[in-house]
mmCIF file of all heavy atoms in Angstrom:
data_model
loop_
_atom_site.group_PDB
_atom_site.id
_atom_site.type_symbol
_atom_site.label_atom_id
_atom_site.label_comp_id
_atom_site.label_asym_id
_atom_site.label_seq_id
_atom_site.Cartn_x
_atom_site.Cartn_y
_atom_site.Cartn_z
ATOM 1 N N ALA A 1 145.826 100.157 89.260
ATOM 2 C CA ALA A 1 146.695 101.083 89.993
ATOM 3 C C ALA A 1 147.267 100.412 91.242
ATOM 4 O O ALA A 1 148.420 100.651 91.615
ATOM 5 C CB ALA A 1 145.901 102.325 90.375
ATOM 6 N N ARG A 2 146.463 99.573 91.879
ATOM 7 C CA ARG A 2 146.938 98.873 93.080
ATOM 8 C C ARG A 2 148.082 97.926 92.754
ATOM 9 O O ARG A 2 149.047 97.815 93.510
ATOM 10 C CB ARG A 2 145.772 98.105 93.714
ATOM 11 C CG ARG A 2 146.197 97.081 94.767
ATOM 12 C CD ARG A 2 145.011 96.580 95.559
ATOM 13 N NE ARG A 2 143.976 95.961 94.772
ATOM 14 C CZ ARG A 2 143.922 94.657 94.484
ATOM 15 N NH1 ARG A 2 144.891 93.843 94.895
ATOM 16 N NH2 ARG A 2 142.913 94.168 93.794
ATOM 17 N N LEU A 3 147.990 97.231 91.635
ATOM 18 C CA LEU A 3 148.986 96.217 91.290
ATOM 19 C C LEU A 3 150.208 96.788 90.595
ATOM 20 O O LEU A 3 151.253 96.140 90.553
ATOM 21 C CB LEU A 3 148.335 95.145 90.407
ATOM 22 C CG LEU A 3 147.200 94.334 91.053
ATOM 23 C CD1 LEU A 3 146.588 93.375 90.043
ATOM 24 C CD2 LEU A 3 147.697 93.580 92.275
ATOM 25 N N ALA A 4 150.091 97.989 90.020
ATOM 26 C CA ALA A 4 151.215 98.575 89.282
ATOM 27 C C ALA A 4 152.312 99.000 90.255
ATOM 28 O O ALA A 4 152.067 99.810 91.154
ATOM 29 C CB ALA A 4 150.744 99.773 88.464
ATOM 30 N N PRO A 5 153.525 98.499 90.097
ATOM 31 C CA PRO A 5 154.597 98.825 91.053
ATOM 32 C C PRO A 5 155.020 100.282 91.034
ATOM 33 O O PRO A 5 155.563 100.786 92.029
ATOM 34 C CB PRO A 5 155.732 97.898 90.629
ATOM 35 C CG PRO A 5 155.456 97.551 89.206
ATOM 36 C CD PRO A 5 153.970 97.545 89.076
ATOM 37 N N ASP A 6 154.808 100.986 89.919
ATOM 38 C CA ASP A 6 155.252 102.379 89.853
ATOM 39 C C ASP A 6 154.232 103.357 90.414
ATOM 40 O O ASP A 6 154.558 104.507 90.697
ATOM 41 C CB ASP A 6 155.604 102.763 88.414
ATOM 42 C CG ASP A 6 154.460 102.540 87.441
ATOM 43 O OD1 ASP A 6 153.576 101.709 87.747
ATOM 44 O OD2 ASP A 6 154.442 103.180 86.369
ATOM 45 N N VAL A 7 152.994 102.940 90.582
ATOM 46 C CA VAL A 7 151.960 103.830 91.109
ATOM 47 C C VAL A 7 152.054 103.867 92.632
ATOM 48 O O VAL A 7 151.966 102.842 93.304
ATOM 49 C CB VAL A 7 150.550 103.372 90.679
ATOM 50 C CG1 VAL A 7 149.476 104.211 91.376
ATOM 51 C CG2 VAL A 7 150.392 103.485 89.163
ATOM 52 N N LYS A 8 152.227 105.059 93.168
ATOM 53 C CA LYS A 8 152.356 105.236 94.610
ATOM 54 C C LYS A 8 151.047 105.661 95.265
ATOM 55 O O LYS A 8 150.846 105.428 96.465
ATOM 56 C CB LYS A 8 153.421 106.290 94.924
ATOM 57 C CG LYS A 8 154.749 106.079 94.216
ATOM 58 C CD LYS A 8 155.363 104.732 94.557
ATOM 59 C CE LYS A 8 156.702 104.552 93.824
ATOM 60 N NZ LYS A 8 157.254 103.187 94.027
ATOM 61 N N ALA A 9 150.185 106.319 94.502
ATOM 62 C CA ALA A 9 148.950 106.853 95.076
ATOM 63 C C ALA A 9 147.911 107.015 93.980
ATOM 64 O O ALA A 9 148.234 107.065 92.790
ATOM 65 C CB ALA A 9 149.206 108.185 95.773
ATOM 66 N N VAL A 10 146.659 107.124 94.412
ATOM 67 C CA VAL A 10 145.539 107.297 93.484
ATOM 68 C C VAL A 10 144.742 108.528 93.897
ATOM 69 O O VAL A 10 144.457 108.736 95.082
ATOM 70 C CB VAL A 10 144.614 106.065 93.487
ATOM 71 C CG1 VAL A 10 143.307 106.359 92.757
ATOM 72 C CG2 VAL A 10 145.318 104.873 92.844
ATOM 73 N N VAL A 11 144.411 109.342 92.911
ATOM 74 C CA VAL A 11 143.454 110.431 93.104
ATOM 75 C C VAL A 11 142.187 110.036 92.363
ATOM 76 O O VAL A 11 142.197 109.891 91.138
ATOM 77 C CB VAL A 11 143.992 111.779 92.579
ATOM 78 C CG1 VAL A 11 142.903 112.857 92.690
ATOM 79 C CG2 VAL A 11 145.230 112.200 93.343
ATOM 80 N N LEU A 12 141.118 109.820 93.114
ATOM 81 C CA LEU A 12 139.838 109.428 92.527
ATOM 82 C C LEU A 12 138.993 110.684 92.352
ATOM 83 O O LEU A 12 138.595 111.318 93.335
ATOM 84 C CB LEU A 12 139.128 108.420 93.428
ATOM 85 C CG LEU A 12 137.781 107.875 92.941
ATOM 86 C CD1 LEU A 12 137.954 107.080 91.652
ATOM 87 C CD2 LEU A 12 137.134 107.006 94.021
ATOM 88 N N ARG A 13 138.741 111.053 91.112
ATOM 89 C CA ARG A 13 137.957 112.241 90.799
ATOM 90 C C ARG A 13 136.498 111.824 90.648
ATOM 91 O O ARG A 13 136.130 111.122 89.701
ATOM 92 C CB ARG A 13 138.454 112.894 89.509
ATOM 93 C CG ARG A 13 137.618 114.081 89.027
ATOM 94 C CD ARG A 13 137.670 115.253 89.985
ATOM 95 N NE ARG A 13 137.020 116.433 89.392
ATOM 96 C CZ ARG A 13 136.912 117.604 89.995
ATOM 97 N NH1 ARG A 13 137.401 117.767 91.220
ATOM 98 N NH2 ARG A 13 136.324 118.619 89.390
ATOM 99 N N VAL A 14 135.661 112.220 91.601
ATOM 100 C CA VAL A 14 134.269 111.775 91.647
ATOM 101 C C VAL A 14 133.345 112.922 91.279
ATOM 102 O O VAL A 14 133.408 114.005 91.868
ATOM 103 C CB VAL A 14 133.910 111.237 93.051
ATOM 104 C CG1 VAL A 14 132.439 110.822 93.093
ATOM 105 C CG2 VAL A 14 134.808 110.063 93.415
ATOM 106 N N ASN A 15 132.489 112.666 90.302
ATOM 107 C CA ASN A 15 131.430 113.611 89.936
ATOM 108 C C ASN A 15 130.203 112.776 89.607
ATOM 109 O O ASN A 15 129.982 112.403 88.457
ATOM 110 C CB ASN A 15 131.848 114.475 88.751
ATOM 111 C CG ASN A 15 130.941 115.681 88.584
ATOM 112 O OD1 ASN A 15 130.021 115.898 89.372
ATOM 113 N ND2 ASN A 15 131.182 116.473 87.559
ATOM 114 N N SER A 16 129.438 112.433 90.644
ATOM 115 C CA SER A 16 128.379 111.443 90.457
ATOM 116 C C SER A 16 127.226 111.682 91.422
ATOM 117 O O SER A 16 127.437 111.991 92.595
ATOM 118 C CB SER A 16 128.945 110.037 90.687
ATOM 119 O OG SER A 16 127.911 109.070 90.711
ATOM 120 N N PRO A 17 125.984 111.492 90.922
ATOM 121 C CA PRO A 17 124.815 111.547 91.808
ATOM 122 C C PRO A 17 124.540 110.223 92.485
ATOM 123 O O PRO A 17 123.579 110.083 93.230
ATOM 124 C CB PRO A 17 123.679 111.903 90.832
ATOM 125 C CG PRO A 17 124.087 111.206 89.568
ATOM 126 C CD PRO A 17 125.595 111.317 89.507
ATOM 127 N N GLY A 18 125.367 109.204 92.202
ATOM 128 C CA GLY A 18 125.159 107.873 92.765
ATOM 129 C C GLY A 18 124.499 106.948 91.765
ATOM 130 O O GLY A 18 124.535 107.174 90.557
ATOM 131 N N GLY A 19 123.887 105.907 92.264
ATOM 132 C CA GLY A 19 123.260 104.910 91.397
ATOM 133 C C GLY A 19 123.106 103.593 92.122
ATOM 134 O O GLY A 19 122.698 103.556 93.286
ATOM 135 N N SER A 20 123.462 102.521 91.465
ATOM 136 C CA SER A 20 123.276 101.178 92.006
ATOM 137 C C SER A 20 124.048 100.990 93.306
ATOM 138 O O SER A 20 125.251 101.252 93.381
ATOM 139 C CB SER A 20 123.731 100.143 90.980
ATOM 140 O OG SER A 20 123.951 98.881 91.588
ATOM 141 N N ALA A 21 123.350 100.482 94.332
ATOM 142 C CA ALA A 21 124.004 100.202 95.613
ATOM 143 C C ALA A 21 125.023 99.080 95.456
ATOM 144 O O ALA A 21 126.125 99.135 96.016
ATOM 145 C CB ALA A 21 122.952 99.835 96.663
ATOM 146 N N LEU A 22 124.669 98.040 94.697
ATOM 147 C CA LEU A 22 125.579 96.913 94.496
ATOM 148 C C LEU A 22 126.841 97.357 93.764
ATOM 149 O O LEU A 22 127.963 97.028 94.164
ATOM 150 C CB LEU A 22 124.880 95.799 93.703
ATOM 151 C CG LEU A 22 125.752 94.619 93.290
ATOM 152 C CD1 LEU A 22 126.342 93.920 94.497
ATOM 153 C CD2 LEU A 22 124.947 93.640 92.439
ATOM 154 N N ALA A 23 126.672 98.124 92.691
ATOM 155 C CA ALA A 23 127.830 98.595 91.922
ATOM 156 C C ALA A 23 128.717 99.492 92.772
ATOM 157 O O ALA A 23 129.950 99.426 92.702
ATOM 158 C CB ALA A 23 127.355 99.339 90.671
ATOM 159 N N SER A 24 128.109 100.331 93.608
ATOM 160 C CA SER A 24 128.886 101.196 94.493
ATOM 161 C C SER A 24 129.721 100.364 95.459
ATOM 162 O O SER A 24 130.883 100.695 95.740
ATOM 163 C CB SER A 24 127.948 102.122 95.281
ATOM 164 O OG SER A 24 127.196 102.951 94.413
ATOM 165 N N ASP A 25 129.139 99.294 95.962
ATOM 166 C CA ASP A 25 129.841 98.444 96.924
ATOM 167 C C ASP A 25 131.022 97.739 96.267
ATOM 168 O O ASP A 25 132.077 97.570 96.890
ATOM 169 C CB ASP A 25 128.871 97.417 97.504
ATOM 170 C CG ASP A 25 129.423 96.744 98.754
ATOM 171 O OD1 ASP A 25 129.943 97.449 99.632
ATOM 172 O OD2 ASP A 25 129.344 95.503 98.836
ATOM 173 N N VAL A 26 130.876 97.333 95.023
ATOM 174 C CA VAL A 26 131.978 96.687 94.296
ATOM 175 C C VAL A 26 133.156 97.646 94.162
ATOM 176 O O VAL A 26 134.316 97.274 94.369
ATOM 177 C CB VAL A 26 131.497 96.209 92.908
ATOM 178 C CG1 VAL A 26 132.669 95.769 92.043
ATOM 179 C CG2 VAL A 26 130.499 95.065 93.058
ATOM 180 N N ILE A 27 132.869 98.900 93.820
ATOM 181 C CA ILE A 27 133.934 99.903 93.684
ATOM 182 C C ILE A 27 134.548 100.206 95.052
ATOM 183 O O ILE A 27 135.773 100.309 95.188
ATOM 184 C CB ILE A 27 133.384 101.182 93.024
ATOM 185 C CG1 ILE A 27 132.891 100.872 91.601
ATOM 186 C CG2 ILE A 27 134.449 102.277 92.994
ATOM 187 C CD1 ILE A 27 132.120 102.005 90.956
ATOM 188 N N TRP A 28 133.700 100.345 96.073
ATOM 189 C CA TRP A 28 134.207 100.615 97.433
ATOM 190 C C TRP A 28 135.201 99.540 97.857
ATOM 191 O O TRP A 28 136.240 99.849 98.446
ATOM 192 C CB TRP A 28 133.034 100.661 98.411
ATOM 193 C CG TRP A 28 133.455 100.718 99.847
ATOM 194 C CD1 TRP A 28 133.739 101.838 100.580
ATOM 195 C CD2 TRP A 28 133.665 99.609 100.729
ATOM 196 N NE1 TRP A 28 134.106 101.493 101.862
ATOM 197 C CE2 TRP A 28 134.073 100.133 101.983
ATOM 198 C CE3 TRP A 28 133.547 98.223 100.597
ATOM 199 C CZ2 TRP A 28 134.360 99.322 103.086
ATOM 200 C CZ3 TRP A 28 133.836 97.411 101.679
ATOM 201 C CH2 TRP A 28 134.234 97.958 102.908
ATOM 202 N N ARG A 29 134.903 98.301 97.563
ATOM 203 C CA ARG A 29 135.793 97.209 97.966
ATOM 204 C C ARG A 29 137.191 97.390 97.365
ATOM 205 O O ARG A 29 138.204 97.155 98.032
ATOM 206 C CB ARG A 29 135.201 95.865 97.532
ATOM 207 C CG ARG A 29 136.097 94.652 97.792
ATOM 208 C CD ARG A 29 136.384 94.471 99.264
ATOM 209 N NE ARG A 29 137.262 93.326 99.491
ATOM 210 C CZ ARG A 29 137.731 92.979 100.688
ATOM 211 N NH1 ARG A 29 137.393 93.677 101.760
ATOM 212 N NH2 ARG A 29 138.524 91.938 100.820
ATOM 213 N N GLU A 30 137.252 97.836 96.115
ATOM 214 C CA GLU A 30 138.559 98.038 95.484
ATOM 215 C C GLU A 30 139.323 99.181 96.148
ATOM 216 O O GLU A 30 140.554 99.146 96.211
ATOM 217 C CB GLU A 30 138.400 98.298 93.983
ATOM 218 C CG GLU A 30 138.154 97.042 93.155
ATOM 219 C CD GLU A 30 139.308 96.048 93.238
ATOM 220 O OE1 GLU A 30 140.467 96.467 93.457
ATOM 221 O OE2 GLU A 30 139.056 94.835 93.099
ATOM 222 N N THR A 31 138.606 100.196 96.649
ATOM 223 C CA THR A 31 139.310 101.269 97.357
ATOM 224 C C THR A 31 139.916 100.739 98.652
ATOM 225 O O THR A 31 141.005 101.163 99.056
ATOM 226 C CB THR A 31 138.369 102.460 97.664
ATOM 227 O OG1 THR A 31 137.371 102.077 98.614
ATOM 228 C CG2 THR A 31 137.715 102.979 96.402
ATOM 229 N N ILE A 32 139.237 99.822 99.311
ATOM 230 C CA ILE A 32 139.767 99.217 100.535
ATOM 231 C C ILE A 32 141.015 98.394 100.224
ATOM 232 O O ILE A 32 142.032 98.475 100.937
ATOM 233 C CB ILE A 32 138.696 98.334 101.207
ATOM 234 C CG1 ILE A 32 137.531 99.195 101.706
ATOM 235 C CG2 ILE A 32 139.296 97.535 102.361
ATOM 236 C CD1 ILE A 32 137.907 100.195 102.773
ATOM 237 N N LEU A 33 140.971 97.607 99.161
ATOM 238 C CA LEU A 33 142.127 96.788 98.787
ATOM 239 C C LEU A 33 143.314 97.666 98.416
ATOM 240 O O LEU A 33 144.468 97.317 98.700
ATOM 241 C CB LEU A 33 141.758 95.867 97.615
ATOM 242 C CG LEU A 33 140.708 94.796 97.919
ATOM 243 C CD1 LEU A 33 140.373 94.021 96.649
ATOM 244 C CD2 LEU A 33 141.193 93.841 99.003
ATOM 245 N N LEU A 34 143.041 98.802 97.790
ATOM 246 C CA LEU A 34 144.106 99.738 97.433
ATOM 247 C C LEU A 34 144.822 100.221 98.695
ATOM 248 O O LEU A 34 146.058 100.246 98.762
ATOM 249 C CB LEU A 34 143.523 100.920 96.662
ATOM 250 C CG LEU A 34 144.522 102.002 96.233
ATOM 251 C CD1 LEU A 34 145.309 101.549 95.008
ATOM 252 C CD2 LEU A 34 143.802 103.315 95.940
ATOM 253 N N LYS A 35 144.058 100.591 99.705
ATOM 254 C CA LYS A 35 144.645 101.075 100.948
ATOM 255 C C LYS A 35 145.377 99.947 101.682
ATOM 256 O O LYS A 35 146.443 100.165 102.266
ATOM 257 C CB LYS A 35 143.555 101.668 101.837
ATOM 258 C CG LYS A 35 142.952 102.955 101.274
ATOM 259 C CD LYS A 35 141.858 103.492 102.166
ATOM 260 C CE LYS A 35 142.378 103.855 103.544
ATOM 261 N NZ LYS A 35 141.316 104.414 104.417
ATOM 262 N N GLU A 36 144.812 98.740 101.653
ATOM 263 C CA GLU A 36 145.466 97.610 102.302
ATOM 264 C C GLU A 36 146.797 97.280 101.640
ATOM 265 O O GLU A 36 147.691 96.709 102.278
ATOM 266 C CB GLU A 36 144.545 96.387 102.285
ATOM 267 C CG GLU A 36 143.343 96.519 103.221
ATOM 268 C CD GLU A 36 142.434 95.313 103.167
ATOM 269 O OE1 GLU A 36 142.660 94.440 102.284
ATOM 270 O OE2 GLU A 36 141.499 95.227 103.990
ATOM 271 N N ALA A 37 146.926 97.648 100.359
ATOM 272 C CA ALA A 37 148.181 97.431 99.640
ATOM 273 C C ALA A 37 149.211 98.506 99.987
ATOM 274 O O ALA A 37 150.329 98.489 99.454
ATOM 275 C CB ALA A 37 147.928 97.410 98.139
ATOM 276 N N GLY A 38 148.850 99.438 100.852
ATOM 277 C CA GLY A 38 149.788 100.465 101.293
ATOM 278 C C GLY A 38 149.837 101.691 100.417
ATOM 279 O O GLY A 38 150.759 102.509 100.532
ATOM 280 N N LYS A 39 148.854 101.844 99.528
ATOM 281 C CA LYS A 39 148.847 102.997 98.636
ATOM 282 C C LYS A 39 147.828 104.036 99.109
ATOM 283 O O LYS A 39 146.773 103.694 99.642
ATOM 284 C CB LYS A 39 148.549 102.561 97.202
ATOM 285 C CG LYS A 39 149.615 101.608 96.663
ATOM 286 C CD LYS A 39 149.503 101.367 95.182
ATOM 287 C CE LYS A 39 150.647 100.474 94.690
ATOM 288 N NZ LYS A 39 150.652 100.273 93.234
ATOM 289 N N THR A 40 148.160 105.286 98.895
ATOM 290 C CA THR A 40 147.325 106.395 99.350
ATOM 291 C C THR A 40 146.164 106.606 98.382
ATOM 292 O O THR A 40 146.328 106.554 97.169
ATOM 293 C CB THR A 40 148.151 107.684 99.454
ATOM 294 O OG1 THR A 40 149.188 107.492 100.413
ATOM 295 C CG2 THR A 40 147.283 108.860 99.876
ATOM 296 N N LEU A 41 144.983 106.851 98.944
ATOM 297 C CA LEU A 41 143.810 107.175 98.147
ATOM 298 C C LEU A 41 143.291 108.546 98.565
ATOM 299 O O LEU A 41 142.953 108.767 99.731
ATOM 300 C CB LEU A 41 142.705 106.131 98.344
ATOM 301 C CG LEU A 41 141.347 106.464 97.703
ATOM 302 C CD1 LEU A 41 141.464 106.526 96.182
ATOM 303 C CD2 LEU A 41 140.286 105.455 98.118
ATOM 304 N N VAL A 42 143.258 109.470 97.618
ATOM 305 C CA VAL A 42 142.714 110.804 97.850
ATOM 306 C C VAL A 42 141.563 111.010 96.881
ATOM 307 O O VAL A 42 141.671 110.672 95.693
ATOM 308 C CB VAL A 42 143.786 111.890 97.655
ATOM 309 C CG1 VAL A 42 143.161 113.289 97.735
ATOM 310 C CG2 VAL A 42 144.878 111.748 98.713
ATOM 311 N N VAL A 43 140.459 111.538 97.385
ATOM 312 C CA VAL A 43 139.289 111.802 96.540
ATOM 313 C C VAL A 43 139.172 113.299 96.291
ATOM 314 O O VAL A 43 139.329 114.110 97.205
ATOM 315 C CB VAL A 43 138.000 111.266 97.200
ATOM 316 C CG1 VAL A 43 136.757 111.864 96.538
ATOM 317 C CG2 VAL A 43 137.952 109.745 97.109
ATOM 318 N N SER A 44 138.912 113.643 95.044
ATOM 319 C CA SER A 44 138.601 115.014 94.654
ATOM 320 C C SER A 44 137.172 115.033 94.127
ATOM 321 O O SER A 44 136.859 114.358 93.144
ATOM 322 C CB SER A 44 139.566 115.504 93.573
ATOM 323 O OG SER A 44 139.105 116.715 92.994
ATOM 324 N N MET A 45 136.296 115.782 94.779
ATOM 325 C CA MET A 45 134.889 115.824 94.392
ATOM 326 C C MET A 45 134.616 116.999 93.474
ATOM 327 O O MET A 45 135.090 118.105 93.711
ATOM 328 C CB MET A 45 134.002 115.928 95.638
ATOM 329 C CG MET A 45 134.062 114.722 96.552
ATOM 330 S SD MET A 45 133.042 114.954 98.028
ATOM 331 C CE MET A 45 133.109 113.292 98.729
ATOM 332 N N GLY A 46 133.809 116.748 92.449
ATOM 333 C CA GLY A 46 133.414 117.800 91.523
ATOM 334 C C GLY A 46 132.112 118.442 91.956
ATOM 335 O O GLY A 46 131.909 118.750 93.126
ATOM 336 N N ASP A 47 131.183 118.622 91.018
ATOM 337 C CA ASP A 47 129.896 119.232 91.352
ATOM 338 C C ASP A 47 129.091 118.340 92.295
ATOM 339 O O ASP A 47 128.378 118.822 93.170
ATOM 340 C CB ASP A 47 129.071 119.475 90.075
ATOM 341 C CG ASP A 47 129.691 120.539 89.186
ATOM 342 O OD1 ASP A 47 130.422 121.389 89.727
ATOM 343 O OD2 ASP A 47 129.448 120.504 87.968
ATOM 344 N N LEU A 48 129.195 117.022 92.087
ATOM 345 C CA LEU A 48 128.375 116.063 92.821
ATOM 346 C C LEU A 48 129.228 114.907 93.327
ATOM 347 O O LEU A 48 130.059 114.370 92.599
ATOM 348 C CB LEU A 48 127.283 115.475 91.920
ATOM 349 C CG LEU A 48 126.162 116.384 91.426
ATOM 350 C CD1 LEU A 48 125.387 115.671 90.325
ATOM 351 C CD2 LEU A 48 125.239 116.726 92.570
#
């Protein structure tokens, strides 16, 4: 989504109790790069 020229923003739909700290950090890093690329990130939380 970050690299696609037609995508202007991302809605991340999260429904998770968590898990691996390392895996979470890898995903977090991509959210930072998305924002640094000038694209909007909005999170929608479900039950968890």
Side-chain angles (χ1 to χ4, degrees):
R2 166 168 59 90
L3 297 176
D6 56 337
V7 173
K8 310 301 180 186
V10 168
V11 175
L12 182 64
R13 175 65 172 180
V14 178
N15 195 2
S16 171
S20 162
L22 174 60
S24 300
D25 195 46
V26 170
I27 297 170
W28 171 88
R29 175 62 181 176
E30 281 298 332
T31 67
I32 294 297
L33 294 176
L34 179 78
K35 292 179 62 179
E36 289 179 352
K39 298 191 177 184
T40 298
L41 172 64
V42 173
V43 164
S44 168
M45 295 178 171
D47 293 335
L48 293 168

